[in-house]
Amino acid sequence: MMKMSGCSLPHSALAVWSLVCCFSTLWLCFAVFPSAVSGGVSQLEESVTSSTSNEGTVLYEVLAGRQVYVYGAYKDVQIFHFLIPPHVSTADFNFTANDSLACDPRNISVFLQPQSYPVVNPDGSEYPPEFWVDRAEVYELHLKSDMKPAYLSVPFPEAGDWFMIAFISETSNRITQAGLFPSCHSWLRAKAKYLQEEQITTVVPEIHTHQEIQLYQKVEGSQYYRFYVPSSTWLVVVNISNCVVLNGVEDSGACRVDIAFRSRGLPNPNSSDTVIHKCEDDAPGDTCTLEVIPEEETWHYVQLTTHDTYVQLSMAVKLYLCDETGKSSYHLLSKLNLHQLCPESESTTTTSAPEVNITDFRVNGTDNIYDEDEEVVTAATLKSRRILFMPALNSQPHVLDSCWPRHKLVKKTFGGNFVFEYDLPPNENGTVPLLLNISNLSPTMLTFSLESIIDIGGTLGIELAVSPFMNISVHNFSVAGCLSRGIREQPNANKECSRGYSLLVNTTAHSTIASQVFVPFPEPGPWYLTLLPSCFLRNESELVDCTVNETTIIFGVSSASCLQGKCGKYGSCYQYISGGFIFSTCVCEGGYRGWGCTDSSQATPNWELMLATMLLTLSNLFFLPAIILALKRRYFAEATVYAFTMVFSTFYHACDQEPYNFCIMRLSVLQFCDFYSAIFSFWVTLIVMADLPHSLYSLLHVAGAMVVALGVEYDRTGLWVFVVPSASAFLVMASSWIWHCKKEHGCYPARGYWLTCLFPGVLLAASGLICYAFLETHDNYYYVHSAWHATMALAILCLLPPRREKDERGDPEEEEPLPGCETQPHISESQKYSPVP
């Protein structure tokens, strides 16, 4: 039953406004609440069946296959996004993965988290100091890329954005050359199934000191309710009273009811963010009351669970707000619109309620409601949606005196992604205060809000310090803080936070006067920094009364990529896009790991880094003997190519090494020149060994230069860009040698060249190619690749043929006679010069 009172005609302005609120809420009540109205008395009674007996609405979300990569750093993750609708009791995820043909199945790891990207360290590295990472529950799943499905079930998920990262977990550090081994690619597909509860009653709760709402329900098993909490809400109170067990027609005494409360999702009994209260623990006959701190500007859910078969009870939800505008129902209605409050899907009948204007109703001194035509509004015309809102005048105590001082910070953005900060509102003269005075009598809240998607890819930094200008001659000052998201939290007696991150600063020493915390990939929504000052002598346990009423603090709230835009000495900060979402992360070097490249547990010693750089660069000096020999034998084009190879290989590896590097130009340019000159060196060496006529020799040099440049630009790390030029030059050389053997009727070249030059050169080249293609790993790369430089240079030194005279090439190339006019002698008569007489 629901009794309406307090709607008599007032005589003051405030009473007139209350009457308007009364009319508006009466319209809401009758327009959207399914009820039975009988005998002209406004009494509503509803029978609710437990939603556990119904399957509810099933929704699906499918993500197409997306390629995943081997994890080396966070930059290698693939981001998937799910949008979970409200009122979901179970979210079932189905994952399948497959590989390319001729590839063995690989291990794939999946991490799922609501609202922001999961913060994980699968390599076991340590997080930087003062990093807050354990903020939300992360769901983890491992599967193989063998097309066998893997399942993950999330009970009672929060509504909204969910982000998942996936990558290949592979421990091998072998370096495989493209083309020599099968190129394996893995794809991951995801399918989500959402079971959405339908039987949820939407309740517009009362505002303190203005309304009296009693919702009478018959509940069997359990029933869900939801209501919206506006901003500045300090406390939510859920009251259960008049609860009796129904046995047939007669009441059978008191009943047992459990209240579960949660924001942004249906209550989850196994979740730490769900508050559960058992009414049987209260004194018999008393009203069962649950008081909770809500999350502002979001939906909240209440689940009533009965231990008896069928009960009848009365439920009331009250909101206590801290701002002055929150004293009227208009403040709540301004936060809700009817489309959001009562979606069409919540209609319980096929007949929708007629559109009714608030001014069409009036009260005629009784409990009956009339329209403008003096006709009684009946249940047949007003049955529709499940909502209750009834204003009444009630002298409930409010909590305005208990509300803490609140400072809403102002966001200031800068150029670049994730670069912004929060400051105090400017003064009347437009200046932003640098210091803030907080009360010593109660906690003080600093509030700010982060946007979804656009603000979550960086790292949020919070700094707190006591002003150095505080007078500490009498006593010291201490400020304890709690950083929390969604729900405010106050430091306890030990100056610690049960759910948020604890900050503690004091004036006893220079090292304790300031503190900071970093929040990677922060969740969107409201954030709170609650500060509680205290005074003490020398030990913080010896608290004394403060001689002043305020403590001056300095704070900073800012966001940047990576760790304040940096990654330490052994890393670089980059921004990546995956799945359409941008995020920042550090790419470490020198064996350093972690989110800030601060984990040195597997770091390479500096002497080893220097040795690696020296080996990779100085090993190219083995080309000097080949260059000198080529010049001595008058192979000037070949000597130029060898010198080009030595120079650019040296500077490429000097620029590519970490952290000690030196770059004379862009790394991509140096890499192209290194690969191009190395492959072209093989070409010119084989062509000069072929002993071709001069005209054909020049033609092949130019053609090889163009073909190699094209191949290197197309795929500089592929196998074919090396095989095609080398095989072509080898065929040219073999054909030329066969022609020489046929012409000279003997072995070509001479046997001495085969034994002393060709055989050692081929052996060195083969050894270098085997090392380069099959033996390189990330651990021995410096040594094996340096050996590759040395063997290739020495192979050229052995294979370079001796100098040949012009007539030894099989092409005497007789000189072309000059034209006839040029062969005739030119005779000119000379006259004796005599001066003019």
Side-chain angles (χ1 to χ4, degrees):
M1 299 285 183
M2 180 183 67
K3 296 182 179 180
M4 299 182 295
S5 60
C7 291
S8 59
L9 188 65
H11 298 284
S12 63
L14 180 61
V16 171
W17 173 246
S18 300
L19 182 60
V20 172
C21 296
C22 177
F23 287 161
S24 64
T25 52
L26 282 173
W27 169 70
L28 286 173
C29 175
F30 281 94
V32 294
F33 189 73
S35 57
V37 181
S38 59
V41 180
S42 179
Q43 295 179 341
L44 302 180
E45 187 174 6
E46 181 180 9
S47 177
V48 179
T49 304
S50 173
S51 61
T52 57
S53 61
N54 299 326
E55 287 294 330
T57 303
V58 178
L59 304 175
Y60 293 92
E61 185 175 6
V62 179
L63 301 184
R66 207 173 299 170
Q67 186 176 355
V68 291
Y69 306 95
V70 178
Y71 184 88
Y74 202 90
K75 64 181 180 64
D76 301 317
V77 304
Q78 182 69 264
I79 295 180
F80 295 77
H81 174 256
F82 299 93
L83 185 61
I84 297 184
H87 314 160
V88 172
S89 59
T90 304
D92 295 322
F93 298 90
N94 184 351
F95 303 102
T96 55
N98 69 291
D99 265 328
S100 306
L101 296 177
C103 294
D104 296 330
R106 296 190 282 183
N107 297 319
I108 297 178
S109 298
V110 169
F111 294 88
L112 181 66
Q113 175 186 307
Q115 303 186 44
S116 187
Y117 314 132
V119 180
V120 297
N121 55 344
D123 56 355
S125 59
E126 295 182 356
Y127 291 104
E130 300 164 341
F131 242 49
W132 186 22
V133 295
D134 298 327
R135 307 187 305 271
E137 184 177 3
V138 179
Y139 298 88
E140 182 178 356
L141 178 68
H142 300 278
L143 68 154
K144 284 186 173 293
S145 55
D146 54 3
M147 290 300 295
K148 294 182 180 179
Y151 301 95
L152 176 64
S153 181
V154 179
F156 306 103
E158 300 177 3
D161 297 313
W162 281 66
F163 295 93
M164 184 186 77
I165 61 171
F167 53 85
I168 300 173
S169 302
E170 194 170 280
T171 57
S172 175
N173 64 347
R174 182 180 179 182
I175 300 176
T176 57
Q177 303 302 326
L180 292 178
F181 301 93
S183 181
C184 295
H185 303 284
S186 300
W187 289 270
L188 177 67
R189 290 169 295 280
K191 179 180 178 181
K193 175 184 175 182
Y194 308 125
L195 180 59
Q196 192 177 39
E197 294 289 339
E198 292 182 341
Q199 301 297 324
I200 298 180
T201 302
T202 302
V203 177
V204 177
E206 67 177 81
I207 307 300
H208 62 83
T209 73
H210 282 267
Q211 296 151 350
E212 177 77 19
I213 298 179
Q214 292 291 329
L215 175 62
Y216 289 86
Q217 295 275 277
K218 291 181 179 179
V219 180
E220 180 182 1
S222 68
Q223 173 63 34
Y224 290 108
Y225 304 87
R226 72 166 186 168
F227 56 90
Y228 190 85
V229 173
S231 61
S232 300
T233 302
W234 182 259
L235 190 66
V236 171
V237 178
V238 180
N239 289 331
I240 301 296
S241 59
N242 303 324
C243 181
V244 293
V245 178
L246 299 180
N247 185 10
V249 181
E250 301 178 357
D251 296 344
S252 60
C255 57
R256 297 172 297 169
V257 177
D258 294 343
I259 308 175
F261 179 91
R262 188 186 179 200
S263 61
R264 291 181 282 110
L266 298 180
N268 183 4
N270 298 321
S271 177
S272 60
D273 57 358
T274 298
V275 180
I276 299 178
H277 179 71
K278 297 181 180 295
C279 292
E280 61 183 350
D281 296 336
D282 298 341
D286 292 347
T287 300
C288 180
T289 301
L290 172 64
E291 297 183 358
V292 289
I293 300 175
E295 180 175 341
E296 300 178 6
E297 298 186 355
T298 189
W299 286 96
H300 291 65
Y301 296 84
V302 173
Q303 180 185 21
L304 299 184
T305 304
T306 66
H307 297 274
D308 301 293
T309 304
Y310 200 36
V311 301
Q312 177 177 287
L313 53 83
S314 173
M315 185 184 73
V317 179
K318 303 180 182 180
L319 303 184
Y320 293 89
L321 284 74
C322 288
D323 57 353
E324 293 297 328
T325 58
K327 292 182 178 180
S328 68
S329 59
Y330 178 80
H331 175 71
L332 180 60
L333 291 175
S334 66
K335 296 295 182 182
L336 301 173
N337 56 74
L338 294 180
H339 177 73
Q340 179 188 27
L341 188 62
C342 305
E344 293 297 331
S345 61
E346 293 184 6
S347 178
T348 57
T349 62
T350 57
T351 304
S352 60
E355 295 186 3
V356 185
N357 194 296
I358 296 178
T359 59
D360 292 342
F361 291 100
R362 64 184 179 86
V363 178
N364 193 21
T366 66
D367 290 335
N368 296 336
I369 300 179
Y370 295 82
D371 62 9
E372 60 183 358
D373 295 329
E374 301 295 333
E375 295 181 359
V376 178
V377 180
T378 63
T381 61
L382 292 177
K383 288 195 298 182
S384 179
R385 301 178 177 85
R386 310 164 66 84
I387 182 172
L388 179 65
F389 184 87
M390 176 184 174
L393 295 178
N394 183 26
S395 58
Q396 293 286 347
H398 57 77
V399 293
L400 289 178
D401 296 335
S402 302
C403 295
W404 302 336
R406 174 190 296 231
H407 299 273
K408 188 173 183 180
L409 304 182
V410 179
K411 185 178 182 180
K412 180 170 63 175
T413 60
F414 301 91
N417 299 312
F418 322 122
V419 183
F420 53 87
E421 66 180 23
Y422 291 88
D423 295 323
L424 291 170
N427 295 326
E428 295 180 356
N429 57 6
T431 60
V432 177
L434 299 178
L435 304 177
L436 175 64
N437 295 325
I438 59 176
S439 173
N440 294 333
L441 304 178
S442 68
T444 300
M445 285 194 307
L446 305 181
T447 65
F448 58 94
S449 182
L450 298 181
E451 298 292 333
S452 178
I453 308 297
I454 63 175
D455 288 347
I456 65 175
T459 302
L460 184 67
I462 310 294
E463 298 174 309
L464 177 65
V466 182
S467 173
F469 305 107
M470 294 294 296
N471 182 11
I472 58 175
S473 59
V474 179
H475 53 69
N476 284 298
F477 294 87
S478 174
V479 178
C482 280
L483 177 65
S484 59
R485 194 205 69 84
I487 300 176
R488 71 179 189 275
E489 185 178 4
Q490 178 182 358
N492 57 23
N494 298 326
K495 300 183 178 180
E496 296 178 351
C497 310
S498 58
R499 298 179 58 183
Y501 189 89
S502 302
L503 293 169
L504 182 62
V505 293
N506 57 58
T507 58
T508 55
H510 185 269
S511 59
T512 60
I513 201 172
S515 180
Q516 63 181 355
V517 58
F518 297 101
V519 184
F521 299 159
E523 291 83 357
W527 284 75
Y528 301 91
L529 179 59
T530 307
L531 305 175
L532 180 61
S534 60
C535 299
F536 63 97
L537 297 178
R538 293 186 178 181
N539 192 335
E540 287 196 59
S541 61
E542 303 174 359
L543 296 179
V544 296
D545 294 334
C546 298
T547 58
V548 293
N549 294 329
E550 294 179 329
T551 299
T552 304
I553 64 166
I554 304 173
F555 72 92
V557 180
S558 61
S559 173
S561 298
C562 301
L563 194 59
Q564 294 182 326
K566 303 176 182 178
C567 293
K569 181 181 178 181
Y570 299 95
S572 302
C573 182
Y574 296 96
Q575 294 180 1
Y576 295 90
I577 297 178
S578 177
F581 301 95
I582 186 171
F583 64 96
S584 63
T585 185
C586 289
V587 178
C588 306
E589 53 193 31
Y592 282 80
R593 304 181 304 164
W595 280 76
C597 300
T598 56
D599 186 353
S600 60
S601 59
Q602 298 183 8
T604 306
N606 288 330
W607 67 267
E608 190 172 345
L609 294 174
M610 289 294 297
L611 177 61
T613 303
M614 297 292 289
L615 285 175
L616 290 172
T617 54
L618 297 183
S619 60
N620 291 285
L621 295 179
F622 280 93
F623 280 95
L624 278 178
I627 296 172
I628 296 173
L629 182 62
L631 291 174
K632 182 178 179 180
R633 295 180 178 178
R634 303 182 67 82
Y635 296 122
F636 301 112
E638 289 75 9
T640 303
V641 175
Y642 302 153
F644 190 88
T645 303
M646 180 186 69
V647 171
F648 280 98
S649 180
T650 299
F651 283 105
Y652 166 66
H653 287 290
C655 183
D656 185 49
Q657 291 312 295
E658 52 189 38
Y660 305 105
N661 53 13
F662 173 76
C663 300
I664 61 174
M665 58 183 69
R666 293 199 312 271
L667 180 63
S668 60
V669 177
L670 293 173
Q671 186 187 50
F672 172 84
C673 295
D674 177 40
F675 281 73
Y676 172 76
S677 59
I679 297 173
F680 196 48
S681 296
F682 282 91
W683 175 271
V684 298
T685 303
L686 293 174
I687 294 300
V688 76
M689 291 171 61
D691 191 17
L692 299 170
H694 182 74
S695 57
L696 188 57
Y697 169 81
S698 301
L699 173 64
L700 291 176
H701 268 38
V702 176
M706 292 187 293
V707 171
V708 172
L710 174 63
V712 172
E713 180 63 25
Y714 179 75
D715 184 11
R716 63 191 60 176
T717 61
L719 175 66
W720 292 106
V721 72
F722 175 80
V723 170
V724 171
S726 301
S728 302
F730 178 79
L731 290 177
V732 171
M733 182 194 69
S735 301
S736 177
W737 284 6
I738 293 173
W739 183 82
H740 278 287
C741 291
K742 184 177 180 181
K743 180 181 178 181
E744 300 177 4
H745 303 284
C747 183
Y748 184 88
R751 294 181 180 179
Y753 179 80
W754 282 80
L755 295 176
T756 60
C757 298
L758 185 61
F759 181 74
V762 172
L763 186 61
L764 286 171
S767 301
L769 288 174
I770 292 174
C771 292
Y772 177 78
F774 302 101
L775 301 181
E776 280 189 354
T777 65
H778 293 283
D779 295 333
N780 64 12
Y781 171 78
Y782 314 112
Y783 311 105
V784 175
H785 200 78
S786 299
W788 150 264
H789 289 167
T791 54
M792 289 299 102
L794 294 176
I796 291 174
L797 183 65
C798 296
L799 296 175
L800 199 65
R803 178 181 178 183
R804 293 184 177 87
E805 299 298 334
K806 189 174 184 179
D807 56 354
E808 296 178 357
R809 298 178 182 267
D811 184 17
E813 295 188 10
E814 298 179 357
E815 293 185 3
E816 182 180 354
L818 294 175
C821 62
E822 296 181 1
T823 60
Q824 299 295 329
H826 181 71
I827 303 174
S828 61
E829 297 181 355
S830 60
Q831 299 180 356
K832 186 178 180 180
Y833 173 77
S834 61
V836 178

